[in-house]
Amino acid sequence: MFTVLIISIVIVIVVAVLTIIAISKGYAYEHTVDPLPEEKDQSDPDKNNE
């Protein structure tokens, strides 16, 4: 019974450490935004389909 308790505590600690590592990496990730494409002249839609 004591062995099961020790193994369970070790598993809980390992899962907690892995969760903290994953959260830290998520917060450290630097997000980038692609620049907006330059808009073409939208005044005449038929002209753009040629």
Side-chain angles (χ1 to χ4, degrees):
M1 183 70 175
F2 188 69
T3 306
V4 173
L5 182 65
I6 296 296
I7 292 172
S8 300
I9 291 172
V10 169
I11 290 172
V12 167
I13 291 171
V14 169
V15 169
V17 168
L18 291 175
T19 301
I20 292 169
I21 291 170
I23 290 172
S24 297
K25 284 185 178 184
Y27 277 116
Y29 184 79
E30 189 171 327
H31 297 278
T32 57
V33 178
D34 292 337
L36 293 173
E38 293 190 21
E39 294 184 23
K40 295 180 182 176
D41 185 17
Q42 297 290 329
S43 61
D44 189 4
D46 293 332
K47 189 186 297 184
N48 294 332
N49 291 334
E50 292 178 353

